[in-house]
Every structure is written in C-alpha cells, then in structure tokens.
C-alpha cells in the first residue's frame, strides 16, 4: 500500500511539473489600450484582472497596459462610470478594448440648486443629461442638447432662422406675460444668458422641473430651472496637457416648400401676365434662397500641475442662412482655473467667458412675397438708377418684390457678453464648509436698421430711414453659503444656509432719422437724415436699476438609505414691487422611501416612491410696474411764436398709474413620482404626476377715467387710466414617463434606447379679474391685412383653456364655390382649435460596434392645432386675390369667396420628426501623437411625418404679432406669413485629441 502511495505521489508530482511547464510555455505578454466607446478617448486607471486569479494591472495615463497571461485567460476590465467587460485573450498578443458608459453610474450624482445630491436621495422632479447623451450635429445653443431628452421640456424654434433663439417651456405655460422661459444657471451663476457658454464647453445639464426642486431659487423658479455645468481641467499627472479640436462644416437646404401656381396656371386663373417675348417668369422662392453654409472650429487646452488645473477654449462659428443677407458669426472664449491648497481645505476657482456675436438679417416678410409674388414678373426692370433701384415693382397693395425687399432693407447688430466668476470654498472643520461666490455678467449691444430711399415698404414714404440703438446690461451677484454635513448613526444630515444680493443695471439710447438724399452710408451715416422730429424719427434714452436680496436654507435627511426628506425655504426681497409687498416667501418640502430596502420585489431592483410640495415665484417683466411712469408728451411753444425756439420744451405725459399693492406671481405645485429600476438597473426610469396653480399673475388693467385709483388711496384720481395688477390664476397638470434600457447587447452591437413622453393637462384660466377690474375676456390675434383685421382668432375666457381659437365651422361650399358656415354670428361661434399640445415624446437611440457609433433622436408632438395663414389668405380664387399667387395643398378646395377666418384653415399639426441622426468612426491609433481621431456625419430635421400643410408644424407658444409683448403667451398656435422656412442640415466633422 505504501509502495502504491509513493508511486501515485511521484506521478502526481510529475503531472504538476509538466502542467506548469506547459503553462509556462503558453504564457505570453499581452499589450493593449483601453478607450471610451463614446468618444474614443483614452481611459487611465482601468483595473485589468485575469479572471480567477490575482494577476492584474492598471492602464496608464494614455490608456495603455501590459500584462502576462496564459492562452486561456479571460481579462476583466472595470472602471468607475463604465460597464465591466470580459474579454477572452485566445491567441492575441495585442488587444484594444472599448468600455461602454454605465448610464446608471454616471447619473448617480446630480447637480441641484447650490450643490449636488446622489440620485438615490433626490425626492423632487429632476432630470439629468450628461455629455454622452447630448444631441449631435450643428448645435448652436446648449438647449438643443435637451431636445427630445427630458419629459415635460419643450425646445422649439419654428422655422430655420439662424438668428432666432429657441423657445423653452417646462411643463407648459406658467404665466401670462414675460419670464416664461426657465431660469438659466451656469456653474452656479443665477440668471446667466445662454450666450455665455458655447455648446462645446458644456459637461452636463440638469433640469429642475417641479416647484420643490426650484424653490431654492425662489422668485425666479416658477418656470423651472436649467443648470448647466461646464467642463474644467483635471490633473492626471504632473505637467499633464491635453489638446482637443472639433471642427465641422454644415450645409443647410430648404426642408419644406409651399406649392403655388406656375406662371401659366397663374395667368389662366386671371392674373396679370408681365412676361415679355421669350421670358419664362420667375421662381421667386429660388430667387430669394441659397444653399446655406456654416463652419465651426473649436480648440480647447486643459491640464494641470500639482494642485492647480486649468482649461481654456476658443470657438468660432460662421453661419450663412438659406437667404442671402441672413448670417451671423460668433466668437466664444472661456478660461477656468482651479486650485486646491491647505491640504485640500481651501479651494479656489476662477471662470471667465467672453462672446462676441455679429448678425445680419432681412425683413422676414420677404418669405411671404417669395410665395405670393406674381410668377410672370421679372426680378429686374429698367435702369439701376430709377426710383425702384432697377427692381420690378408695381403700385399695387401688398405687392413687393421679395428680392428687392431683402436688398433694400438692412438689419444688423453686434452683441458682446462678458461673464466673470470667482468662487472660494473653505472647510472650517471636516463637516462644515463656507463658500463665497461673486460674479459679474455684462452685456452690450449695438444694433442698426436701414430702409433705402428706393424701398417701397418703408423707404418711399420716409425718403430713406435709418436707426441706431445701443444698450448695456450689467448684473452683479454676491452669494455666501454655509454647508454642514454630519452622520448621526444611520441618519445622514446635510444643511445649507445662504445669502445672496443681485444688482441689475440697464441703460441705452436710440436715434432714428429719415429723409436721406443718398443711400451710401446706411445707418453709419444717420446724421445725413434731415428729419429728426415727427413720425418715423426717434431720440430716446433710459436707465434703470433693481435689487434682489435673498436668504435661503435647505435641509436634507437620509435614514439608512431608505427614507429621505428635504425641506427648503427662500425669502426674496425685490425693489420693483409695491410698498409692503417687496418680500416673498417660497417654501418647499419633499420626501421619499426606497421600497426595495424594505421588501424584496424580485426583478424590481429600485422602487423609490416620492412626493413633494413647493412654492416658487416669477419676477415681473419690468422693474417699475408698481410705479407711475412718464414719457415725453410732445413739444409745446410757450409764446405760440413758431419763429422762436428758445421757449419750446418737451412736456411730461403720464403713461401708467401706480399700484403700491403689486406683488409676486407665485406657483404652487404638488408632484408625485416614482424612480424605478429593473433587472439590476438594466432598465431605469421615472414616472411623474403633477398639478400646479399659478396665481396673482401680473397683467395690465384699464382703470375708470377720472375715478380714484383703486390701488392707491393717496392718488385722488387716475391719470393714465392704466395700471398693472395681480389679476390672473391658471391651473394645469400633467403626467411624465421615462425609461432607458442600458446597453442592450445584440451580438457585437451595443444599443441604449431611451423613451420619454408627456401628457399635458392644458393651462386653464381660473381668474382674470381683481375686484371689478380686469378684462374678464381677452381677444387677441387678428389674421391681419388684407381684409381680416376685424375678428380676433383667440379668446381667453375664465373657465377655459388658455389660447382657445374661436370661429365659424366650415361646412362646405355652395354651388358657386362660396363658404357655408354653421353660423355667421360671432356670438354663436365655438372653440375650433387650440395651439397648446396634448403631449410630447422623445425616443433616443445610441449604437456602437467596434470603432463605429450611431445615434438618432425621434421627437413627436401631438394634439395641437395651427392656423395656416398662407391658406387663410392665399388659397381662394376670388377676383380680389388675383394680384397674388395662390397656395395649393392637399386640403385646398376651390373657393371663390373672399378669404375669411374659419375652421377650414385650422389644421391638426401633430408630427413625428427625425430631429437628429449621427454616425461616427474612431480611427484606430497606435504609437502617434493623437490619442483619438473621430470622423462623423450628422443630419438634423431629416424628415417630418405630419398632416399639416404649412411651413412648420412646430408648436407656437406665443404670437409676437399681436402688438403687445406682455400678451404673447395668450395667443399660441398661429403660423404667421413671415415664418422663416424650415431647413435641413447636413454636417461633416472631425474631432482630435492630442496627447
């Protein structure tokens, strides 16, 4: 037995030696590089471990690694913020690995007001979008990153005007007047402009949607808050420097053209034929438009040494629109420096951004005339020195050559913006931190307008007209905050208290003259205008200031990672309100519970149920609404002798009566939400339901002439018979849903789809009066001239939805082609449409395969209607409309009646649009100075599925043609005839990372 044992032991020993020898013979050195699948950048510090062993290594600062392994080895790659990946080595001697972003990990820390929170602790409605999730392509504003990404947030720009900004609405309408856009906060600077930051410099964006989340910003949070965090430098190793370049060229083409009659069809209809022998007429749309070309170049340098890091960037954009004369160029620069000292207790940061934007534009009515101008007419006629400047023109009503209009009127301007910010943080003790933040935001602008002597729209009557205006706005913000964090057993506490003081100064002046002998100098020779007084002239200036002082505090509790509670309060005092009402208070409370910590829910890996209540406010559209205001009342001659001018003076005219009781607009909101995760976080998302009431809305009211001022007993009688008052209340609500499937594996393809949708309870007017004062009902938005100035399309009534369209219902045509309506009595007309949407959806997708990546975003809006003004004016074939060309669509009947507003021209504008699609390729690199080279192609607004036959089915949240800038939100759903045609954009670009 012993002999057998010895033989077995010797054989086993020989087996082990042979096995070790064979294994040693198969072991070899493996080299490789680890990069991010998002942008191809190297990832330093990745843990690389041979599975089942302790053999491992870490990637260096350039993502490179070396490890000795056997042929059957399986390597596990792991790094914070990325999904772990296993790779079988096989016979490979080199290996390049691309790690996929772990979306769940990336979103664990969310930026909130005056700090950050772990996502699992948040009990309010907050959405976060990281750089990896941003929309791609020719992005000119950071808000485009969010289009289709956040439930409840609308990012719209009807038409394709490159000089027009984007309209933002978070959870619908929040006020009657101005300040309906969400508050913008950039790196903690409250009220900053989107022009302060270039899209290439944005690292992440967080959206505070409900009043509980926004209450920390008090008087400015009623319309929601968007927090923008910019990129900063990092110290990866001593003397580290990284250079990034991103450049692209974009091509714009017209995405949608209206169909009109050809020259022959126009003449056959009865139009005048201006063609000469051999002439074919003019395609006016082609004559006005061009292929737009834009290019962007961005260069950034970041690095650091020791305890100091920095990042500097410069970005230049040049954009040409689809119409000659519509363009802009913009220069953006930024610099950030961060320093840590005193063993990490003291942290200093300095941020500077500067941008300079120049833009030129035309009278957008040129689009209207490009559609309706006589197609038989030529562009030019006669000598260049005739009264029309050589362009074909005729003395007919509303008949202007669109090419002449684009050349003989000129509008332009330059805007400069400088934002400087200094922040210091100091840890007094381990749990107590004090921070001081000081920023200055200064914006200056210089604008010019010129109408040639030969311009038929304005210049003929004025014999040439020019205008120049300038402005300067400065905001200075000082904030002091103290944060205390402490753990008491199973309870985590965080407290924040702060003080803020913001002073805003605005000033400017304008000059306008007319009657020029020459056109040579345009607005640069405004002194060549001989008429300095009267209609068409102006000499004005202004200066005003306001102060907002604030005290705020917040407490967050986290018990065992299961129960969460947050309470906030802010007090704002504003100089622009009436006596006794200058201070407003904005409290909020929210709480939540992580159910999976209490109950095993199987595949449900997260289920946090939360609820919140909050109050936030809205600053008025102007700082002097509570005061009586005055304006020039005209020139009087004291002695009546017009030959003497030394006794001629401008008098005062009161334009507004005082209202010392004027106070804040406030929004009260209740939000119930659920954050969920399935299959260990593979599927994540949230569900929200909210109701809100906006009350004490500011609006102008007419006062009884000669009666005592009802708001100010000290004023014996009204003078201007007009004052601002808190008269309005609107109520709304909604349901929001979002879901993301993180990194679906389809063979070698990784796919991350994300879906969100919103269902709106449209804003309903609950009050439109204070006492006996107020409109009760407000009618807005007449179709316009010719012939349709009498009946406003929109009626805002108490008890009804904001923006309801009223009009006769089209029931068909009689035997002569005339209208047949349900009623011709305006008092019997009912609701025929509403421009606010019932819902929105966004469907985002990102794919990666080896060195390739693909992404696209589908965005849909449904349940809103639009008034198609082109059909409403130019569809009919009546004799009076023969001057203009006719618009023809799939909805066009043969109408012989004079155009008249009715349900015939109200169309369902629901649509589904491929907003964005991008494909990229990361060039494999080894042993050169580039750490990444990526080539990409992007398309924007590639197709739209809709039954709407106008220019653009996009939602119109406001109507700037109603003549009152404080009533634009009450007239949604109107596509005017000066809409800039939509564009489709194709982009080719390259991004480089230099070691």
């Amino acid at each position: 037995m012993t002999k057998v044992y010895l033989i077995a032991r010797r054989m086993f020993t020989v087996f082990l030696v042979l096995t070790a020898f064979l294994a040693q013979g198969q072991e070899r050195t493996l080299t490789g590089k680890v990069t991010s699948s998002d942008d191809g950048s190297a990832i330093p510090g990745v843990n690389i471990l041979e599975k089942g062993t302790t053999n491992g290594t870490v990637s260096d600062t350039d993502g490179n690694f070396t490890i000795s392994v056997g042929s059957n080895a399986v390597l596990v790659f792991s790094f914070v913020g990325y999904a772990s990946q296993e790779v079988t080595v096989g016979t490979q001697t080199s290996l390049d690995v691309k790690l996929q972003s772990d979306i769940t990990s990336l979103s664990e820390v969310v930026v909130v007001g005056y700090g950050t929170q772990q996502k699992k602790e948040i009990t309010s409605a907050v959405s976060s979008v990281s750089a990896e999730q941003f929309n791609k392509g020719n992005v000119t504003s950071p808000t485009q990153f969010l289009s289709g990404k956040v439930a409840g947030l609308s990012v719209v720009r009807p038409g394709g005007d490159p000089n027009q900004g984007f309209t933002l609405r978070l959870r619908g309408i929040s006020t009657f007047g101005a300040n309906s856009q969400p508050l913008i906060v950039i790196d903690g600077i409250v009220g900053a402009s989107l022009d302060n930051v270039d899209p290439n410099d944005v690292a992440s964006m967080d959206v505070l949607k409900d009043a509980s989340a926004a209450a920390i910003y008090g008087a400015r949070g009623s319309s929601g808050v968007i927090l923008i965090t910019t990129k900063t430098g990092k110290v990866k190793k001593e003397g580290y420097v990284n250079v990034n370049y991103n450049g692209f060229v974009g091509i714009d083409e017209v995405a949608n053209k209206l169909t009109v009659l050809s020259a022959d069809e126009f003449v056959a209809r009865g139009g005048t034929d201006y063609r000469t022998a051999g002439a074919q007429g003019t395609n006016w749309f082609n004559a006005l438009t061009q292929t737009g070309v834009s290019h962007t170049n961005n260069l950034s340098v970041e690095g650091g040494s020791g305890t100091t890091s920095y990042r500097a960037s410069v970005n230049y954009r040049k954009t040409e629109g689809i119409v000659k004369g519509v363009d802009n160029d913009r220069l953006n620069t930024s610099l950030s420096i961060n320093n840590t000292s005193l063993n990490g207790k003291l942290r200093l940061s300095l941020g500077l951004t500067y941008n300079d934007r120049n833009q030129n534009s035309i009278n957008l009515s040129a689009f209207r005339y490009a559609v309706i101008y006589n197609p038989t007419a030529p562009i030019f006629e006669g000598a260049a020195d005739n009264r029309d400047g050589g362009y074909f023109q005729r003395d007919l009503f509303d008949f202007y050559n669109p090419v002449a209009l684009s050349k003989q009127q000129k509008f332009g301007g330059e805007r400069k913006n400088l934002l400087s910010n200094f922040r210091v943080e100091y840890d007094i003790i381990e749990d107590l931190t004090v921070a001081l933040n000081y920023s200055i935001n200064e914006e200056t602008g210089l604008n010019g307008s010129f109408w040639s002597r030969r311009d038929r729209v304005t210049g003929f009557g004025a014999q040439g007209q020019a205008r120049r205006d300038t402005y300067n706005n400065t905001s200075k913000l000082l904030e002091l905050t103290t944060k205390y964090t402490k753990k008491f057993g199973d309870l985590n506490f965080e407290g924040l208290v702060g003080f803020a003081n913001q002073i805003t100064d605005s000033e400017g002046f304008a000059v306008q003259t007319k009657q020029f002998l020459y056109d040579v100098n345009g607005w640069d020779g405004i002194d060549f205008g001989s008429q300095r007084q009267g209609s068409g002239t102006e000499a004005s200036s202004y200066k005003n200031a306001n102060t907002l002082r604030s005290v705020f505090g917040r407490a967050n509790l986290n018990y065992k990672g299961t129960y969460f509670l947050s309470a906030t309060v802010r007090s704002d005092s504003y100089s622009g309100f009436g006596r006794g009402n200058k201070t407003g208070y904005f409290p909020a409370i929210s709480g939540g519970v992580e159910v999976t910590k209490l109950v095993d829910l199987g595949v449900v890996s997260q289920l946090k149920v939360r609820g919140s209540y909050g109050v936030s406010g809205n600053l008025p559209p102007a700082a002097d609404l509570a005061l009586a205001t005055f304006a020039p009342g005209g020139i009087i001659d004291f002695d009546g002798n017009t030959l003497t001018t030394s006794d001629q003076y401008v008098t005062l005219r009161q334009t507004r009566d005082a209202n010392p009781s004027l106070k804040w607009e406030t929004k009260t909101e209740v939000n119930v939400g659920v954050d969920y995760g399935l299959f260990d976080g593979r599927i994540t998302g949230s569900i929200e339901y909210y109701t809100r009431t906006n009350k004490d809305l500011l609006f102008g009211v007419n006062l009884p002439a000669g009666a005592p001022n009802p708001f100010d007993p000290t004023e014996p009688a009204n003078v201007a018979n007009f004052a601002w008052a808190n008269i309005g209340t609107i109520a709304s609500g909604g349901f929001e849903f979002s879901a993301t499937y993180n990194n679906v594996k389809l063979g070698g393809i990784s796919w991350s789809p994300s879906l969100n949708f919103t269902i709106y309870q449209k804003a309903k007017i609950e009050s439109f009066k204070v006492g006996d004062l107020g409109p009760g009902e407000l009618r807005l938005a007449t179709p316009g001239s010719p012939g349709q100035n009498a009946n406003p399309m929109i009626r805002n009534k108490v008890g009804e939805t904001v923006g309801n369209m009223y009009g006769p219902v089209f029931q068909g045509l009689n035997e002569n082609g005339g209208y047949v309506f349900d009623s011709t009595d305006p008092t019997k007309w009912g609701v025929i449409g509403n421009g606010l949407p019932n819902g929105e959806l966004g469907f985002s997708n990102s794919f990666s395969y080896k060195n390739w990546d693909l992404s696209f975003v589908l965005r849909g809006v449904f349940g809103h209607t639009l008034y198609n003004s082109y059909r409403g004016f130019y569809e009919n074939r009546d004799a009076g409309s023969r001057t203009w060309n006719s618009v023809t669509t799939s909805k066009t009947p043969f109408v012989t009646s004079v155009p008249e507003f009715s349900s015939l021209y109200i169309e369902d504008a629901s649509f589904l649009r491929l907003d964005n699609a991008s494909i990229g390729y990361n060039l494999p690199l080894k042993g050169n100075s580039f750490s990444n080279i990526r080539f990409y192609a992007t398309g924007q607004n590639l197709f739209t599925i809709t039954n709407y036959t106008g220019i653009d089915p996009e939602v119109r949240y406001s109507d700037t043609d109603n003549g009152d800038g404080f009533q634009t939100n009450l007239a949604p759903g109107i596509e005017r005839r000066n809409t800039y045609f939509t564009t489709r954009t194709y982009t080719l670009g390259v991004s480089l990372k230099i070691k």
Side-chain angles (χ1 to χ4, degrees):
M1 186 70 180
T2 302
K3 187 177 181 179
V4 173
Y5 169 76
L6 292 174
I7 293 172
R9 189 176 71 173
R10 288 170 183 162
M11 292 179 64
F12 182 71
T13 301
V14 171
F15 174 79
L16 290 177
V17 171
L18 289 173
T19 302
F21 177 80
L22 292 173
Q24 181 66 32
Q26 292 177 354
E27 188 172 272
R28 61 193 179 283
T29 299
L30 178 72
T31 61
K33 184 174 184 177
V34 186
T35 58
S36 169
S37 64
D38 298 314
D39 58 8
S41 61
I43 307 178
V46 177
N47 291 312
I48 305 164
L49 182 68
E50 184 178 355
K51 191 174 182 179
T53 74
T54 59
N55 179 34
T57 186
V58 177
S59 64
D60 64 18
T61 55
D62 296 319
N64 299 315
F65 68 92
T66 301
I67 187 172
S68 295
V69 295
S71 59
N72 296 322
V74 175
L75 294 181
V76 180
F77 296 79
S78 61
F79 188 69
V80 175
Y82 292 85
S84 296
Q85 185 173 335
E86 294 186 3
V87 179
T88 301
V89 174
T91 61
Q92 301 176 86
T93 58
S94 64
L95 182 65
D96 290 336
V97 177
K98 293 183 177 298
L99 294 186
Q100 303 285 336
S101 300
D102 186 341
I103 296 176
T104 302
S105 298
L106 286 173
S107 59
E108 283 184 353
V109 177
V110 177
V111 178
V112 295
Y114 299 97
T116 61
Q117 274 188 285
Q118 290 188 341
K119 185 176 181 180
K120 65 182 181 180
E121 297 179 327
I122 291 178
T123 50
S124 302
V126 179
S127 292
S128 299
V129 182
S130 63
E132 291 77 12
Q133 301 166 287
F134 287 166
N135 292 324
K136 308 295 192 299
N138 190 359
V139 175
T140 59
S141 169
T143 54
Q144 289 177 268
F145 289 145
L146 301 176
S147 180
K149 299 288 187 178
V150 177
L153 177 65
S154 299
V155 182
V156 302
R157 185 180 69 180
D161 188 350
N163 293 325
Q164 181 182 352
F166 288 83
T167 297
L168 305 178
R169 292 293 183 272
L170 187 56
R171 293 185 166 181
I173 289 178
S174 58
T175 181
F176 287 162
N179 299 319
S180 52
Q181 299 265 92
L183 175 69
I184 303 298
V185 180
I186 301 176
D187 291 334
I189 304 170
V190 184
S193 167
L194 288 171
D195 290 330
N196 285 122
V197 60
D198 187 86
N200 284 291
D201 294 330
V202 177
S204 66
M205 302 180 73
D206 299 270
V207 182
L208 311 185
K209 298 197 287 186
D210 68 344
S212 173
I216 193 69
Y217 291 106
R220 291 168 288 187
S222 181
S223 298
V225 183
I226 296 178
L227 307 173
I228 298 176
T229 302
T230 61
K231 298 175 182 177
T232 57
K234 299 177 178 63
V235 181
K236 295 184 178 181
K237 61 180 180 179
E238 189 68 23
Y240 164 78
V241 177
N242 188 38
V243 179
N244 300 285
Y245 169 79
N246 181 39
F248 60 81
V249 176
I251 304 296
D252 283 350
E253 66 177 18
V254 179
N256 181 35
K257 297 180 181 179
L258 295 180
T259 303
V260 295
L261 300 180
S262 67
D264 290 338
E265 290 172 331
F266 176 77
V267 173
R269 194 201 73 181
T272 302
D273 191 348
Y274 291 113
R275 290 175 293 187
T276 58
Q280 300 297 317
T282 302
N283 184 319
W284 288 103
F285 187 81
N286 290 343
L288 182 69
T289 61
Q290 63 179 1
T291 298
V293 179
S294 62
H295 61 84
T296 296
N297 294 276
N298 174 266
L299 182 69
S300 66
V301 180
E302 63 177 76
S305 179
T307 59
T308 301
S309 63
Y310 64 88
R311 184 179 188 275
S313 71
V314 60
N315 186 89
Y316 177 74
R317 300 174 182 270
K318 174 66 177 179
T319 302
E320 294 180 353
I322 57 169
V323 176
K324 297 176 182 178
V326 179
D327 57 53
N328 66 67
D329 62 84
R330 186 169 68 188
L331 175 69
N332 284 72
T333 61
S334 69
L335 172 66
S336 66
I337 301 174
N338 297 278
N339 175 266
T340 302
S341 57
L342 300 181
N343 295 322
K345 291 184 176 182
L346 179 64
R347 295 172 294 279
L348 305 174
S349 64
L350 172 67
L352 297 171
T353 63
Y354 171 78
N355 66 80
D356 189 341
R357 175 170 178 160
N358 291 271
Q359 68 181 49
N360 296 292
S361 188
I362 64 170
N363 187 332
L364 295 183
S365 295
F367 285 99
R368 178 205 315 182
Y369 299 117
V371 173
I372 67 169
Y373 204 69
N374 189 317
T376 70
I379 299 175
F380 297 101
E381 178 186 54
D385 59 352
N386 71 7
R387 71 168 190 164
D388 294 309
Y391 292 99
F392 178 93
Q393 300 276 21
R394 289 295 181 270
D395 292 324
L396 298 170
F397 175 74
D398 203 32
F399 191 78
Y400 303 109
N401 185 319
V403 177
L405 187 63
S406 70
K407 301 294 185 182
Q408 294 175 339
Q409 294 185 1
K410 180 182 178 183
F411 308 96
E414 179 179 15
R415 183 172 63 229
K416 298 179 180 180
N417 192 287
L418 176 63
L419 178 63
S420 54
N421 181 57
F422 176 74
R423 181 176 178 85
V424 55
E425 294 182 0
Y426 181 70
D427 298 332
I428 299 175
I429 57 176
E430 182 179 358
D431 301 322
L432 183 64
T433 301
V434 63
L436 177 68
N437 192 78
Y438 181 71
S439 65
I440 301 177
N441 187 3
E442 184 172 8
E443 180 184 49
T444 60
L446 179 63
N447 303 310
S449 304
F450 182 72
W451 299 263
S452 166
R453 288 168 49 85
R454 296 180 172 90
D455 165 51
R456 280 190 165 245
V457 179
T458 302
F460 267 15
Q463 297 184 57
Q465 187 168 293
R467 177 185 176 86
R468 206 72 160 130
D469 64 81
T470 185
Y471 64 88
N472 180 274
N473 301 323
T474 302
S475 175
K476 298 177 181 179
L477 173 65
L478 175 67
E479 292 179 315
L480 178 65
T481 59
T482 302
K483 183 174 69 173
Y484 179 72
T485 59
K486 188 69 176 178
K487 187 173 182 179
F488 304 94
D490 293 327
L491 178 66
N492 290 317
F493 169 81
E494 179 184 286
L496 172 78
V497 294
F499 165 81
N501 187 75
Q502 189 162 16
I503 301 173
T504 302
D505 294 285
S506 300
E507 61 179 323
F509 67 87
V511 177
Q512 182 167 304
T513 65
K514 65 179 182 179
Q515 198 162 316
F516 288 76
L517 185 61
Y518 309 103
D519 282 344
V520 177
N521 294 320
W523 62 56
D524 292 322
I526 198 168
D527 52 327
F528 282 88
S530 62
Q531 293 294 315
R532 317 288 175 91
Q533 297 179 5
S535 175
T537 68
E538 181 178 351
S540 63
S541 64
Y542 66 90
K543 182 177 177 62
N544 54 63
N546 63 80
T547 301
L548 180 68
R549 291 190 177 93
S550 311
V551 179
F552 51 90
R554 179 175 60 210
N556 295 325
L557 300 175
N558 174 352
Y559 182 68
K560 290 186 175 181
T562 304
Y563 303 98
F564 309 95
L565 182 67
S566 180
T568 302
V569 64
R570 179 164 180 141
S571 168
D572 282 321
S573 296
Y574 185 60
S575 60
F577 283 121
R579 300 186 299 271
N581 289 309
K582 294 185 181 296
T583 301
Y585 301 94
F586 307 97
I589 188 169
S590 62
V593 57
E594 178 53 61
V595 180
T596 57
K597 295 283 188 177
L598 305 174
V599 181
D600 185 358
L601 298 178
V603 298
V604 181
S605 53
Q606 180 193 14
L607 186 67
K608 182 174 65 180
V609 180
R610 49 185 168 76
S612 67
Y613 169 87
V615 179
S616 56
N618 195 7
L619 285 177
D624 58 357
L625 298 187
L627 306 176
T629 56
F630 299 84
I635 298 176
I636 61 170
D637 190 332
F638 281 178
D639 65 2
N641 184 357
T642 58
L643 298 178
T644 59
T645 59
S646 59
D647 59 347
Q648 293 180 358
Y649 296 95
V650 175
T651 61
L652 282 177
R653 175 176 58 90
Q654 187 169 336
T655 57
R656 185 193 305 146
D657 292 303
N659 181 359
S661 64
L662 202 68
K663 59 183 179 180
W664 302 96
E665 292 186 357
T666 58
K667 178 184 72 174
T668 302
E669 186 168 15
V670 175
N671 192 97
V672 178
V674 175
D675 296 323
Y676 64 88
L678 306 175
F679 308 109
D680 294 324
R682 183 59 58 185
I683 299 176
T684 58
S686 64
I687 301 171
E688 312 280 354
Y689 175 76
Y690 65 92
T691 61
R692 63 185 191 179
T693 301
N694 297 72
K695 63 180 182 179
D696 295 325
L697 300 187
L698 297 166
F699 205 75
V701 294
N702 294 320
L703 305 179
N709 186 332
F711 305 117
D712 188 359
T714 65
E715 188 174 324
N718 301 314
V719 177
N721 304 323
F722 174 83
W724 280 83
N726 300 99
I727 70 168
T729 301
I730 57 176
S732 60
F735 173 84
E736 299 167 354
F737 173 85
S738 66
T740 298
Y741 198 130
N742 301 303
N743 293 322
V744 182
K745 298 297 183 181
L746 304 173
I749 300 175
S750 294
W751 172 39
S752 291
S754 181
L755 172 71
N756 70 79
F757 68 83
T758 306
I759 299 174
Y760 293 108
Q761 176 188 328
K762 298 182 182 180
K764 180 180 178 181
I765 300 175
E766 294 189 341
S767 172
F768 219 168
K769 281 193 173 185
V770 52
D772 295 329
L773 299 175
E777 174 184 330
L778 188 66
R779 300 188 180 188
L780 297 170
T782 60
S785 180
Q788 300 191 63
N789 288 313
N791 294 317
M793 294 179 283
I794 289 177
R795 302 181 186 179
N796 289 285
K797 298 182 178 182
V798 175
E800 295 189 2
T801 302
V802 170
N804 274 343
M805 299 178 183
Y806 274 73
V809 176
F810 175 75
Q811 295 183 326
L813 300 171
N814 59 28
E815 63 277 8
N816 298 319
Y819 292 122
V820 177
F821 297 138
D822 64 336
S823 175
T824 58
D825 183 356
T827 63
K828 297 181 180 180
W829 291 346
V831 178
I832 59 174
N834 187 281
L836 300 178
N838 290 329
E840 299 184 67
L841 68 86
F843 183 43
S844 304
N845 297 266
S846 61
F847 300 84
S848 63
Y849 175 72
K850 295 185 177 179
N851 294 325
W852 292 90
D853 60 83
L854 170 69
S855 64
F856 68 86
V857 179
L858 285 166
R859 182 173 61 90
V861 184
F862 54 90
H864 66 293
T865 59
L866 290 177
Y867 166 63
N868 187 335
S869 62
Y870 277 100
R871 288 187 57 215
F873 279 93
Y874 308 119
E875 185 176 72
N876 295 7
R877 305 298 180 89
D878 61 296
S881 298
R882 289 176 183 172
T883 299
W884 308 289
N885 206 345
S886 293
V887 173
T888 61
T889 72
S890 59
K891 303 179 186 296
T892 300
F894 193 88
V895 182
T896 59
S897 295
V898 174
E900 185 177 348
F901 174 69
S902 73
S903 63
L904 176 62
Y905 307 114
I906 303 297
E907 300 183 27
D908 176 15
S910 301
F911 68 89
L912 179 67
R913 173 173 288 167
L914 181 56
D915 251 7
N916 186 289
S918 180
I919 185 170
Y921 178 75
N922 291 284
L923 193 67
L925 299 172
K926 292 182 180 179
N928 56 41
S929 60
F930 294 98
S931 60
N932 173 253
I933 300 179
R934 180 176 183 268
F935 300 95
Y936 59 91
T938 301
Q940 293 167 280
N941 190 25
L942 294 177
F943 68 77
T944 302
I945 301 173
T946 183
N947 288 323
Y948 183 66
T949 63
I951 299 296
D952 189 352
E954 190 65 82
V955 177
R956 272 50 167 205
Y957 280 103
S958 59
D959 176 40
T960 57
D961 282 15
N962 64 45
D964 189 331
F966 296 126
Q967 300 176 5
T968 58
N969 286 337
L970 296 175
I974 302 170
E975 180 178 81
R976 294 289 185 178
R977 292 168 287 170
N978 60 353
T979 299
Y980 197 106
F981 285 119
T982 55
T983 58
R984 183 176 293 113
T985 304
Y986 304 98
T987 303
L988 292 175
V990 60
S991 59
L992 311 173
K993 290 183 180 293
I994 305 173
K995 297 179 181 179

